[in-house]
């Protein structure tokens, strides 16, 4: 289990623990779309282990309460509802098939662990597949801190390819620093740049690789704010733009016409309270993500293989089916 759990007292009820997980996701103590999903699924496993439900119906109610709390923690990363759905769909089916309380608990724990394991495997597979597209001597630019994008870069490096990486700071939360630390630990040649220096260096870049918080059915990618500007810059310079995304980052809701919500975060992530006090009336906007159009994306690297963004709909129908299920999961 992750570090999140360390500061919990022993006696907290499952609900308190689930609320704590949601709080950690909200405040970004737990961040990164993949880790958010795995941690939320841990919340369901905790519910299964600790719910005091006396029958199947009470148990499902507890699971739904936890799911609702977890899903509402952050709105953009589709991996979060997809992770919860992965578990709930199977547990609800087991219930319909007549599973008893203990079997439902076991099923929750089993499929929860399965999702977590699959997530790690997918990231590894993306590294393996994506590394084939990296050449010896490549200069790669990355934005924010994506475990999937880093998996590609690190796998290529471990294969003996010499790689140089430009890592953006990623205002306002500076996740780029985490990327730099990881790459330095790996012994990769890395240069930290401010976000606005991207275009200045783009001419010397061979490939841009970023992660994703969500992929829409038309192949548009939602990722950390600034990604779409980087993609536009890469497009103008004729630089390949790759997205590394597990299939649970694809949004089934978008096939039914729904839009992905872009999270607006607190102004104090951008400026301090003093600044706000001094400049009464100023509106500080802090969108956490933006949308990169498919025209600016060369390919998406998934654990199932490499696809052009226009093929996102194929992944969606293969993984989630054509119809968005409206089953009451949370
Ligand atoms: P992995 C992050 O969001 C970044 O936008 C990153 O590109 C994306 O999640 C995917 O990260 P945030 O949680 O799942 O920092 O590839 O807002 O690790």
């Amino acid at each position: 289990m992750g570090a999140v759990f360390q500061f919990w007292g022993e006696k907290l009820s499952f609900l308190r623990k689930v609320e704590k997980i949601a709080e950690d996701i909200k405040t970004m103590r737990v961040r990164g779309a993949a880790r958010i999903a795995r941690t939320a699924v841990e919340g369901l496993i905790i519910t299964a282990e600790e719910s005091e439900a006396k029958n199947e119906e009470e148990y499902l109610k507890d699971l739904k309460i936890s799911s609702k709390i977890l899903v509402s923690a952050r709105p953009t990363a589709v991996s979060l509802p997809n992770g919860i759905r992965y578990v709930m769909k199977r547990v609800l089916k087991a219930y319909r098939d007549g599973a008893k309380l203990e079997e439902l608990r076991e099923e929750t724990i089993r499929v929860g662990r399965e999702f977590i394991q699959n997530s790690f495997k997918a990231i590894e597979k993306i590294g393996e597949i994506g590394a084939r597209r990296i050449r010896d001597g490549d200069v790669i630019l990355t934005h924010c801190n994506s475990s999937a994008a880093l998996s590609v870069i690190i796998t290529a490096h471990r294969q003996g390819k010499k790689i140089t990486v430009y890592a953006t700071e990623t205002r306002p939360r500076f996740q780029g620093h985490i990327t730099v630390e990881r790459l330095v630990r790996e012994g990769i040649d890395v240069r930290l740049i401010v976000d606005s220096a991207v275009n200045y260096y783009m001419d010397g870049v061979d490939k841009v690789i970023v992660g994703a918080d969500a992929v829409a059915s038309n192949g548009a990618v939602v990722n950390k704010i600034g990604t779409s500007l980087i993609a536009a810059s890469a497009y103008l310079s004729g630089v390949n733009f790759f997205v590394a995304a597990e299939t649970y980052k694809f949004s089934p809701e978008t096939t039914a016409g729904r839009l992905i919500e872009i999270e607006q975060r607190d102004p104090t992530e951008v400026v301090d309270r003093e600044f706000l006090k001094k400049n009464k009336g100023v509106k500080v906007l802090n969108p956490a993500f933006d949308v990169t159009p498919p025209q600016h994306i060369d390919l998406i690297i998934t654990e199932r293989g490499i696809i052009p963004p226009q093929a996102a709909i194929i992944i969606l129908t293969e993984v989630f089916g054509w119809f968005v299920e409206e089953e009451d999961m949370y």
Side-chain angles (χ1 to χ4, degrees), residues 281-299:
V282 65
K283 284 196 176 60
V284 178
L285 308 177
N286 184 19
F289 305 99
D290 64 19
V291 184
T292 299
Q295 299 90 308
H296 290 177
I297 299 166
D298 289 287
L299 47 92

Side-chain angles (χ1 to χ4, degrees), residues 91-233:
V91 174
L92 288 169
K93 181 174 181 308
Y95 171 69
R96 283 196 305 273
D97 291 348
K100 295 292 162 221
L101 180 58
E102 279 319 302
E103 293 167 322
L104 289 178
R105 285 188 203 272
E106 280 164 21
E107 182 68 353
T108 312
I109 296 167
R110 188 187 67 77
V111 292
R113 289 188 181 146
E114 183 179 272
F115 177 85
I116 293 167
Q117 229 181 31
N118 286 348
S119 164
F120 285 120
K121 272 197 226 153
I123 293 167
E124 206 182 305
K125 190 79 194 158
I126 284 171
E128 211 178 283
I129 295 171
R132 296 191 185 119
R133 300 301 295 259
I134 308 300
R135 291 209 184 107
D136 190 28
D138 266 353
V139 176
I140 297 170
L141 187 142
T142 191
H143 183 51
C144 197
N145 176 252
S146 155
S147 49
L150 282 179
S151 177
V152 174
I153 296 169
I154 290 170
T155 306
H157 167 77
R158 288 184 181 171
Q159 288 170 348
K161 293 172 187 165
K162 195 187 162 335
I163 292 162
T164 303
V165 177
Y166 282 103
T168 57
E169 289 183 304
T170 318
R171 282 276 295 154
R173 304 270 312 206
F174 299 102
Q175 291 99 321
H177 291 187
I178 309 170
T179 294
V180 166
E181 280 166 26
R182 182 75 190 88
L183 294 175
V184 165
R185 258 206 327 274
E186 246 349 278
I188 296 175
D189 179 12
V190 53
R191 285 132 211 225
L192 178 70
I193 58 172
V194 297
D195 299 350
S196 42
V198 163
N199 199 50
Y200 180 74
Y201 286 111
M202 192 54 85
D203 272 349
V205 170
D206 296 300
K207 277 146 200 154
V208 176
I209 307 179
V210 298
D213 292 82
V215 181
S217 59
N218 67 347
V221 167
V222 177
N223 192 49
K224 184 56 53 193
I225 190 75
T227 303
S228 67
L229 262 178
I230 297 172
S233 165

Side-chain angles (χ1 to χ4, degrees), residues 17-128:
K17 291 184 183 176
V18 166
E19 278 166 357
K20 177 77 175 80
I21 291 179
E23 187 59 23
D24 284 346
I25 293 174
K26 235 177 245 160
T27 55
M28 293 176 70
R29 261 196 295 271
V30 170
R31 55 146 298 277
R35 184 155 173 244
I36 286 173
R38 290 193 299 268
T39 309
V41 167
E42 291 273 13
L44 293 186
I45 294 175
I46 290 171
T47 307
E49 288 168 342
E50 300 183 19
S51 150
E52 288 172 0
K54 302 278 181 300
N55 57 45
E56 294 78 26
E57 289 71 27
E58 270 180 39
Y59 175 67
L60 289 183
K61 212 165 133 193
D62 281 351
L63 270 187
K64 286 183 183 183
I65 291 171
S66 291
S67 297
K68 203 176 193 139
I69 294 170
L70 293 161
V71 164
S72 56
R74 282 188 84 186
T76 304
V78 170
S79 51
L80 172 52
N82 277 349
I84 297 290
R85 261 195 295 249
Y86 184 93
V87 178
M88 290 303 284
K89 202 173 153 179
R90 286 156 181 82
V91 174
L92 288 169
K93 181 174 181 308
Y95 171 69
R96 283 196 305 273
D97 291 348
K100 295 292 162 221
L101 180 58
E102 279 319 302
E103 293 167 322
L104 289 178
R105 285 188 203 272
E106 280 164 21
E107 182 68 353
T108 312
I109 296 167
R110 188 187 67 77
V111 292
R113 289 188 181 146
E114 183 179 272
F115 177 85
I116 293 167
Q117 229 181 31
N118 286 348
S119 164
F120 285 120
K121 272 197 226 153
I123 293 167
E124 206 182 305
K125 190 79 194 158
I126 284 171
E128 211 178 283

Side-chain angles (χ1 to χ4, degrees), residues 296-312:
H296 290 177
I297 299 166
D298 289 287
L299 47 92
I300 303 178
I301 309 158
T302 80
E303 75 276 17
R304 290 185 170 223
I306 281 179
I307 58 160
Q310 291 76 10

